[in-house]
Amino acid sequence: MDQLAKRNFRSELNAIDWDFTGENGGGFSAYHWYPARFVPQLAGILIGYFSEPGETVLDPFVGSGTTLVEAYKLGRLGIGIDLNPIAALIARAKLTAVDQRGFSSYLRGLAERARAGASLGLAERHSHELPKRYEELQAWYHPATLADLVAIWTALRGGRKSRYRDVGLAAFSSVLKSCSSQDQHWGWVCDNVRPRDLVAKPAMERFRGKLLEFARASQELEDEAAVLQETPVDLRAMRVLTGDAITEMASLPAGAVDLVVTSPPYFSMTDYVLSQRLSNLWFDFDMDALRGREIGARYRRFRKGAREEYLHEIRSAVAGVARLLRRGRFACFVLGESPRRGPVLDTFAEICLHCGFRVREVITRRVSPRRTLSPSLDCESVFLCQRR
Protein backbone atom coordinates (compact mmCIF):
# COMPACT_ATOMS: atom_id res chain seq x y z
CA MET A 1 0.00 0.00 0.00
CA ASP A 2 1.34 3.39 -0.99
CA GLN A 3 -0.15 5.03 2.09
CA LEU A 4 1.76 2.79 4.46
CA ALA A 5 5.05 3.46 2.68
CA LYS A 6 4.95 7.17 3.46
CA ARG A 7 8.04 8.33 5.30
CA ASN A 8 6.04 10.85 7.27
CA PHE A 9 3.88 8.10 8.77
CA ARG A 10 4.16 9.39 12.32
CA SER A 11 4.03 13.09 11.54
CA GLU A 12 0.80 12.71 9.56
CA LEU A 13 -0.96 10.82 12.31
CA ASN A 14 0.39 12.98 15.10
CA ALA A 15 -0.95 16.07 13.35
CA ILE A 16 -4.51 14.83 13.91
CA ASP A 17 -6.56 16.08 16.85
CA TRP A 18 -7.35 12.65 18.27
CA ASP A 19 -9.48 14.18 21.02
CA PHE A 20 -12.03 15.20 18.35
CA THR A 21 -13.08 18.17 20.43
CA GLY A 22 -16.26 19.78 19.21
CA GLU A 23 -17.05 16.95 16.79
CA ASN A 24 -20.73 16.10 16.34
CA GLY A 25 -21.54 12.38 16.10
CA GLY A 26 -24.55 12.82 13.79
CA GLY A 27 -26.09 9.97 11.86
CA PHE A 28 -26.65 6.88 13.97
CA SER A 29 -24.77 8.23 17.00
CA ALA A 30 -27.91 8.67 19.12
CA TYR A 31 -30.05 5.96 17.53
CA HIS A 32 -29.58 3.37 20.31
CA TRP A 33 -27.65 3.99 23.51
CA TYR A 34 -24.77 1.60 24.05
CA PRO A 35 -21.93 1.96 26.57
CA ALA A 36 -18.43 3.08 25.51
CA ARG A 37 -19.30 3.69 21.87
CA PHE A 38 -16.49 4.35 19.42
CA VAL A 39 -16.02 7.92 18.23
CA PRO A 40 -16.98 7.65 14.52
CA GLN A 41 -14.22 10.05 13.44
CA LEU A 42 -11.61 7.86 15.16
CA ALA A 43 -12.70 4.73 13.31
CA GLY A 44 -13.06 6.63 10.04
CA ILE A 45 -9.55 8.08 10.10
CA LEU A 46 -7.95 4.71 10.91
CA ILE A 47 -9.91 2.94 8.18
CA GLY A 48 -9.13 5.61 5.62
CA TYR A 49 -5.42 5.65 6.41
CA PHE A 50 -4.66 1.95 6.84
CA SER A 51 -6.82 0.33 4.16
CA GLU A 52 -7.85 0.70 0.53
CA PRO A 53 -11.32 0.64 -1.08
CA GLY A 54 -12.69 -2.88 -1.44
CA GLU A 55 -10.51 -4.31 1.35
CA THR A 56 -11.92 -6.03 4.44
CA VAL A 57 -12.01 -4.44 7.90
CA LEU A 58 -12.63 -6.51 11.04
CA ASP A 59 -13.91 -5.37 14.42
CA PRO A 60 -14.04 -8.38 16.80
CA PHE A 61 -15.67 -6.25 19.54
CA VAL A 62 -18.02 -4.39 17.26
CA GLY A 63 -20.52 -3.15 19.87
CA SER A 64 -23.22 -1.10 18.19
CA GLY A 65 -21.47 -1.19 14.81
CA THR A 66 -19.61 2.11 14.46
CA THR A 67 -16.57 0.53 12.77
CA LEU A 68 -18.72 -1.21 10.16
CA VAL A 69 -20.73 1.93 9.42
CA GLU A 70 -17.53 3.92 8.85
CA ALA A 71 -16.05 1.09 6.77
CA TYR A 72 -19.11 1.07 4.52
CA LYS A 73 -19.00 4.84 4.07
CA LEU A 74 -15.45 4.52 2.77
CA GLY A 75 -16.16 1.59 0.45
CA ARG A 76 -14.61 -1.16 2.54
CA LEU A 77 -16.10 -4.56 3.32
CA GLY A 78 -16.62 -5.28 7.00
CA ILE A 79 -16.92 -8.11 9.52
CA GLY A 80 -18.10 -7.39 13.05
CA ILE A 81 -18.35 -9.75 16.01
CA ASP A 82 -20.04 -9.26 19.36
CA LEU A 83 -21.06 -11.54 22.19
CA ASN A 84 -24.02 -9.35 23.16
CA PRO A 85 -27.01 -10.17 20.91
CA ILE A 86 -28.43 -6.67 21.49
CA ALA A 87 -25.21 -5.12 20.16
CA ALA A 88 -25.32 -7.40 17.12
CA LEU A 89 -28.96 -6.44 16.54
CA ILE A 90 -28.14 -2.71 16.61
CA ALA A 91 -25.22 -3.21 14.22
CA ARG A 92 -27.33 -5.26 11.78
CA ALA A 93 -30.08 -2.63 11.88
CA LYS A 94 -27.67 0.17 11.01
CA LEU A 95 -26.42 -1.86 8.05
CA THR A 96 -29.87 -2.55 6.64
CA ALA A 97 -30.31 -1.21 3.12
CA VAL A 98 -33.40 0.99 3.03
CA ASP A 99 -35.73 1.65 0.16
CA GLN A 100 -37.65 4.70 1.36
CA ARG A 101 -40.93 3.68 -0.27
CA GLY A 102 -40.71 0.14 1.06
CA PHE A 103 -39.73 1.38 4.51
CA SER A 104 -42.70 3.77 4.58
CA SER A 105 -44.98 0.83 3.75
CA TYR A 106 -43.39 -1.18 6.56
CA LEU A 107 -44.00 1.68 9.02
CA ARG A 108 -47.67 1.96 8.04
CA GLY A 109 -48.30 -1.75 8.45
CA LEU A 110 -46.45 -1.84 11.75
CA ALA A 111 -48.40 1.16 13.08
CA GLU A 112 -51.72 -0.41 12.11
CA ARG A 113 -50.91 -3.67 13.85
CA ALA A 114 -49.65 -1.86 16.95
CA ARG A 115 -52.78 0.31 17.18
CA ALA A 116 -54.98 -2.74 16.80
CA GLY A 117 -53.03 -4.50 19.52
CA ALA A 118 -53.22 -1.50 21.85
CA SER A 119 -57.01 -1.46 21.51
CA LEU A 120 -57.10 -5.04 22.81
CA GLY A 121 -55.32 -4.25 26.05
CA LEU A 122 -53.49 -6.74 28.19
CA ALA A 123 -56.50 -8.48 29.68
CA GLU A 124 -57.68 -9.75 26.30
CA ARG A 125 -54.33 -11.17 25.29
CA HIS A 126 -53.41 -14.81 25.44
CA SER A 127 -50.39 -15.72 27.53
CA HIS A 128 -48.37 -16.71 24.43
CA GLU A 129 -48.65 -13.13 23.14
CA LEU A 130 -46.88 -11.72 26.19
CA PRO A 131 -43.11 -11.67 26.70
CA LYS A 132 -41.95 -14.73 28.63
CA ARG A 133 -40.64 -12.50 31.45
CA TYR A 134 -43.75 -10.33 31.57
CA GLU A 135 -44.09 -10.49 35.36
CA GLU A 136 -40.56 -9.15 35.80
CA LEU A 137 -41.23 -6.37 33.29
CA GLN A 138 -44.22 -5.22 35.34
CA ALA A 139 -41.78 -3.89 37.95
CA TRP A 140 -40.23 -1.48 35.41
CA TYR A 141 -43.20 -0.05 33.50
CA HIS A 142 -46.47 1.71 34.23
CA PRO A 143 -49.39 -0.59 33.21
CA ALA A 144 -50.48 1.75 30.38
CA THR A 145 -46.93 2.00 29.03
CA LEU A 146 -46.45 -1.75 29.32
CA ALA A 147 -49.69 -2.35 27.39
CA ASP A 148 -48.44 -0.15 24.54
CA LEU A 149 -45.04 -1.84 24.55
CA VAL A 150 -46.66 -5.27 24.39
CA ALA A 151 -48.77 -4.08 21.45
CA ILE A 152 -45.62 -2.92 19.63
CA TRP A 153 -43.80 -6.12 20.56
CA THR A 154 -46.64 -8.24 19.18
CA ALA A 155 -46.81 -6.15 16.00
CA LEU A 156 -43.08 -6.58 15.42
CA ARG A 157 -43.30 -10.34 15.75
CA GLY A 158 -46.46 -10.71 13.66
CA GLY A 159 -47.17 -10.31 9.97
CA ARG A 160 -44.89 -11.33 7.14
CA LYS A 161 -41.18 -11.35 7.88
CA SER A 162 -39.78 -8.08 6.62
CA ARG A 163 -36.27 -7.09 5.55
CA TYR A 164 -36.71 -4.32 8.15
CA ARG A 165 -37.34 -6.67 11.05
CA ASP A 166 -33.99 -5.88 12.70
CA VAL A 167 -34.64 -2.16 12.27
CA GLY A 168 -37.97 -2.42 14.06
CA LEU A 169 -36.58 -4.58 16.86
CA ALA A 170 -33.60 -2.26 17.37
CA ALA A 171 -35.91 0.78 17.50
CA PHE A 172 -38.04 -1.03 20.08
CA SER A 173 -34.96 -1.89 22.12
CA SER A 174 -33.78 1.72 21.96
CA VAL A 175 -36.89 3.11 23.73
CA LEU A 176 -37.14 0.54 26.52
CA LYS A 177 -35.00 2.50 28.98
CA SER A 178 -36.68 5.87 28.35
CA CYS A 179 -40.13 4.26 28.56
CA SER A 180 -39.32 2.62 31.88
CA SER A 181 -40.01 4.34 35.19
CA GLN A 182 -36.34 4.20 36.18
CA ASP A 183 -35.23 7.72 35.27
CA GLN A 184 -31.72 7.44 36.76
CA HIS A 185 -28.74 6.69 34.51
CA TRP A 186 -28.05 3.31 32.92
CA GLY A 187 -26.07 2.04 35.92
CA TRP A 188 -29.23 1.78 37.97
CA VAL A 189 -30.81 -0.54 35.41
CA CYS A 190 -27.54 -2.43 35.05
CA ASP A 191 -27.53 -3.07 38.81
CA ASN A 192 -31.22 -4.06 38.78
CA VAL A 193 -32.40 -1.09 40.87
CA ARG A 194 -36.11 -0.99 40.12
CA PRO A 195 -38.20 2.19 40.27
CA ARG A 196 -40.24 2.97 43.35
CA ASP A 197 -43.06 4.66 41.47
CA LEU A 198 -44.43 3.73 38.07
CA VAL A 199 -44.93 6.65 35.69
CA ALA A 200 -46.69 6.47 32.32
CA LYS A 201 -44.52 7.23 29.27
CA PRO A 202 -45.56 7.79 25.60
CA ALA A 203 -44.23 4.49 24.21
CA MET A 204 -45.98 4.64 20.83
CA GLU A 205 -44.76 8.17 20.16
CA ARG A 206 -41.18 7.40 21.13
CA PHE A 207 -41.09 4.20 19.08
CA ARG A 208 -42.36 5.98 15.99
CA GLY A 209 -39.82 8.76 16.57
CA LYS A 210 -36.97 6.23 16.63
CA LEU A 211 -38.09 4.67 13.37
CA LEU A 212 -38.17 8.08 11.69
CA GLU A 213 -34.77 8.86 13.20
CA PHE A 214 -33.45 5.64 11.68
CA ALA A 215 -34.81 6.58 8.25
CA ARG A 216 -33.00 9.94 8.40
CA ALA A 217 -29.73 8.40 9.58
CA SER A 218 -29.92 5.68 6.92
CA GLN A 219 -30.42 8.27 4.20
CA GLU A 220 -27.52 10.30 5.59
CA LEU A 221 -25.32 7.20 5.48
CA GLU A 222 -26.20 6.54 1.85
CA ASP A 223 -25.60 10.19 0.93
CA GLU A 224 -22.14 10.12 2.55
CA ALA A 225 -21.29 6.78 0.94
CA ALA A 226 -22.27 8.14 -2.48
CA VAL A 227 -19.67 10.88 -2.04
CA LEU A 228 -16.90 8.92 -0.32
CA GLN A 229 -16.98 5.48 -1.92
CA GLU A 230 -14.55 5.05 -4.79
CA THR A 231 -15.82 1.51 -5.37
CA PRO A 232 -19.49 0.89 -4.48
CA VAL A 233 -20.08 -1.65 -1.72
CA ASP A 234 -23.34 -3.53 -1.18
CA LEU A 235 -24.56 -3.16 2.41
CA ARG A 236 -25.60 -6.81 2.31
CA ALA A 237 -21.91 -7.73 2.06
CA MET A 238 -21.27 -6.34 5.55
CA ARG A 239 -21.31 -9.21 8.07
CA VAL A 240 -22.24 -9.18 11.76
CA LEU A 241 -21.54 -12.36 13.73
CA THR A 242 -23.06 -13.02 17.16
CA GLY A 243 -20.76 -14.83 19.57
CA ASP A 244 -17.60 -14.39 21.60
CA ALA A 245 -14.73 -12.89 19.65
CA ILE A 246 -12.22 -15.68 20.25
CA THR A 247 -14.55 -18.46 19.04
CA GLU A 248 -15.94 -16.56 16.07
CA MET A 249 -12.51 -15.44 14.86
CA ALA A 250 -11.36 -19.07 14.96
CA SER A 251 -14.12 -19.90 12.45
CA LEU A 252 -12.77 -17.43 9.87
CA PRO A 253 -9.95 -18.31 7.43
CA ALA A 254 -6.43 -17.14 8.21
CA GLY A 255 -5.33 -13.99 6.42
CA ALA A 256 -8.94 -13.04 5.65
CA VAL A 257 -8.75 -9.38 6.66
CA ASP A 258 -6.70 -6.35 5.66
CA LEU A 259 -7.24 -4.15 8.73
CA VAL A 260 -8.52 -4.50 12.27
CA VAL A 261 -10.02 -1.52 14.06
CA THR A 262 -11.43 -2.32 17.46
CA SER A 263 -11.79 -1.29 21.07
CA PRO A 264 -11.50 -4.34 23.33
CA PRO A 265 -13.38 -4.25 26.64
CA TYR A 266 -11.57 -2.18 29.25
CA PHE A 267 -10.72 -4.01 32.45
CA SER A 268 -13.53 -3.90 35.04
CA MET A 269 -15.25 -0.77 33.72
CA THR A 270 -18.41 -1.90 31.95
CA ASP A 271 -21.05 -4.61 32.05
CA TYR A 272 -22.16 -4.62 28.43
CA VAL A 273 -24.77 -7.35 28.78
CA LEU A 274 -26.33 -5.96 31.96
CA SER A 275 -26.33 -2.45 30.51
CA GLN A 276 -29.03 -3.76 28.15
CA ARG A 277 -30.97 -5.49 30.93
CA LEU A 278 -34.41 -4.32 29.80
CA SER A 279 -33.83 -5.38 26.19
CA ASN A 280 -32.56 -8.75 27.35
CA LEU A 281 -35.71 -9.19 29.45
CA TRP A 282 -37.98 -8.51 26.49
CA PHE A 283 -35.96 -10.69 24.10
CA ASP A 284 -35.55 -13.37 26.77
CA PHE A 285 -31.79 -13.70 26.37
CA ASP A 286 -29.99 -15.55 29.15
CA MET A 287 -28.10 -12.72 30.86
CA ASP A 288 -26.30 -14.98 33.31
CA ALA A 289 -24.91 -17.17 30.53
CA LEU A 290 -23.92 -14.18 28.40
CA ARG A 291 -22.24 -12.15 31.12
CA GLY A 292 -20.30 -15.22 32.23
CA ARG A 293 -18.55 -15.07 28.83
CA GLU A 294 -17.82 -11.33 28.85
CA ILE A 295 -14.17 -10.29 28.86
CA GLY A 296 -13.21 -7.96 31.73
CA ALA A 297 -16.76 -7.37 32.94
CA ARG A 298 -17.23 -4.82 35.73
CA TYR A 299 -19.10 -7.20 38.03
CA ARG A 300 -15.91 -9.30 38.35
CA ARG A 301 -13.81 -6.37 39.56
CA PHE A 302 -13.39 -7.65 43.12
CA ARG A 303 -12.82 -11.26 42.14
CA LYS A 304 -9.39 -12.65 43.00
CA GLY A 305 -7.30 -13.03 39.87
CA ALA A 306 -9.68 -10.89 37.76
CA ARG A 307 -6.86 -8.92 36.13
CA GLU A 308 -4.89 -12.05 35.20
CA GLU A 309 -8.04 -13.65 33.80
CA TYR A 310 -8.71 -10.52 31.74
CA LEU A 311 -5.19 -10.38 30.33
CA HIS A 312 -5.30 -14.08 29.43
CA GLU A 313 -8.52 -13.59 27.45
CA ILE A 314 -7.17 -10.45 25.79
CA ARG A 315 -4.06 -12.39 24.76
CA SER A 316 -6.26 -15.03 23.11
CA ALA A 317 -8.21 -12.31 21.30
CA VAL A 318 -5.05 -10.57 20.02
CA ALA A 319 -3.69 -13.94 18.85
CA GLY A 320 -6.93 -14.46 16.94
CA VAL A 321 -6.56 -11.04 15.32
CA ALA A 322 -2.97 -11.84 14.31
CA ARG A 323 -4.07 -15.09 12.64
CA LEU A 324 -6.72 -13.31 10.56
CA LEU A 325 -4.66 -10.28 9.58
CA ARG A 326 -2.52 -10.38 6.46
CA ARG A 327 1.22 -9.94 7.05
CA GLY A 328 2.41 -6.36 7.04
CA ARG A 329 -1.08 -5.00 7.71
CA PHE A 330 -2.29 -3.05 10.74
CA ALA A 331 -4.42 -3.72 13.78
CA CYS A 332 -5.56 -0.58 15.60
CA PHE A 333 -6.57 -1.19 19.22
CA VAL A 334 -8.19 1.53 21.34
CA LEU A 335 -7.78 0.74 25.03
CA GLY A 336 -7.96 2.57 28.35
CA GLU A 337 -7.23 1.76 31.94
CA SER A 338 -8.51 3.03 35.26
CA PRO A 339 -5.99 3.75 38.04
CA ARG A 340 -8.52 2.21 40.41
CA ARG A 341 -8.43 -1.17 38.67
CA GLY A 342 -4.71 -1.71 38.08
CA PRO A 343 -2.47 -1.17 35.04
CA VAL A 344 -3.02 -3.09 31.80
CA LEU A 345 -1.64 -0.92 28.98
CA ASP A 346 2.02 -1.87 29.34
CA THR A 347 1.09 -5.54 29.49
CA PHE A 348 -1.15 -5.11 26.44
CA ALA A 349 1.81 -3.81 24.45
CA GLU A 350 3.81 -6.88 25.52
CA ILE A 351 0.91 -9.11 24.44
CA CYS A 352 0.91 -7.52 21.00
CA LEU A 353 4.65 -8.16 20.62
CA HIS A 354 4.24 -11.76 21.78
CA CYS A 355 1.44 -12.35 19.23
CA GLY A 356 3.51 -11.23 16.27
CA PHE A 357 2.93 -7.49 16.08
CA ARG A 358 5.30 -4.58 15.96
CA VAL A 359 3.86 -1.67 17.96
CA ARG A 360 4.53 1.17 15.54
CA GLU A 361 2.92 3.97 17.54
CA VAL A 362 0.85 4.57 20.68
CA ILE A 363 -1.28 7.71 20.54
CA THR A 364 -2.86 9.09 23.70
CA ARG A 365 -6.21 10.80 23.36
CA ARG A 366 -8.36 12.55 25.93
CA VAL A 367 -11.84 11.20 26.55
CA SER A 368 -14.69 13.68 26.72
CA PRO A 369 -16.41 13.70 30.14
CA ARG A 370 -19.67 13.24 28.24
CA ARG A 371 -18.47 9.95 26.77
CA THR A 372 -16.62 8.30 29.63
CA LEU A 373 -18.35 5.76 31.88
CA SER A 374 -15.79 6.08 34.66
CA PRO A 375 -14.74 9.33 36.37
CA SER A 376 -11.22 7.93 36.70
CA LEU A 377 -10.88 7.41 32.94
CA ASP A 378 -9.86 10.65 31.25
CA CYS A 379 -7.69 9.29 28.44
CA GLU A 380 -7.18 6.20 26.34
CA SER A 381 -4.46 4.84 24.05
CA VAL A 382 -4.60 4.04 20.35
CA PHE A 383 -2.15 1.19 19.63
CA LEU A 384 -1.10 1.07 15.96
CA CYS A 385 0.31 -2.42 15.53
CA GLN A 386 1.76 -3.89 12.33
CA ARG A 387 1.62 -7.63 11.71
CA ARG A 388 5.16 -8.92 11.27
Side-chain angles (χ1 to χ4, degrees), residues 189-260:
V189 175
C190 182
D191 293 337
N192 204 21
V193 181
R194 303 179 182 189
R196 293 184 179 181
D197 302 310
L198 299 179
V199 180
K201 305 289 180 67
M204 291 283 188
E205 176 185 333
R206 290 182 180 179
F207 176 64
R208 173 176 168 75
K210 277 296 175 183
L211 287 170
L212 295 176
E213 182 181 326
F214 170 83
R216 290 190 296 270
S218 178
Q219 185 60 59
E220 182 180 320
L221 173 60
E222 289 300 332
D223 291 344
E224 289 188 73
V227 174
L228 297 174
Q229 286 185 357
E230 295 179 26
T231 304
V233 170
D234 190 335
L235 264 176
R236 292 172 294 184
M238 311 296 284
R239 300 169 60 191
V240 179
L241 309 178
T242 307
D244 73 84
I246 297 167
T247 301
E248 294 299 326
M249 282 194 289
S251 71
L252 298 173
V257 301
D258 303 288
L259 171 66
V260 175

Side-chain angles (χ1 to χ4, degrees), residues 88 95 97 114 167 186 190 264 278 307 338 364 372-373 375:
L95 297 168
V167 175
W186 71 277
C190 182
L278 297 178
R307 178 176 174 275
S338 168
T364 301
T372 184
L373 299 178

Side-chain angles (χ1 to χ4, degrees), residues 98 171 309 361:
V98 172
E309 179 184 352
E361 187 81 4

Side-chain angles (χ1 to χ4, degrees), residues 96-106 163-164 214-215 218-219 222:
T96 299
V98 172
D99 167 70
Q100 294 299 328
R101 180 177 295 180
F103 190 64
S104 295
S105 176
Y106 169 75
R163 63 188 280 193
Y164 302 116
F214 170 83
S218 178
Q219 185 60 59
E222 289 300 332

Side-chain angles (χ1 to χ4, degrees), residues 153-171:
W153 173 249
T154 306
L156 286 166
R157 298 167 68 221
R160 293 182 302 173
K161 187 171 182 180
S162 168
R163 63 188 280 193
Y164 302 116
R165 174 181 169 83
D166 287 338
V167 175
L169 291 173

Side-chain angles (χ1 to χ4, degrees), residues 44 94 111 122 129 145 157 190 207 231 273 311 321 348 350:
K94 291 178 180 180
L122 293 172
E129 295 179 306
T145 304
R157 298 167 68 221
C190 182
F207 176 64
T231 304
V273 171
L311 292 171
V321 165
F348 181 77
E350 294 172 5

Side-chain angles (χ1 to χ4, degrees), residues 2 25 50-51 54 59 80 90 100 148 176 227 240 252 254 261 304 315 323 350 371 386:
D2 291 340
F50 289 111
S51 68
D59 187 343
I90 302 167
Q100 294 299 328
D148 282 349
L176 292 176
V227 174
V240 179
L252 298 173
V261 176
K304 184 178 180 180
R315 181 186 295 267
R323 188 185 72 85
E350 294 172 5
R371 299 187 67 89
Q386 188 173 23

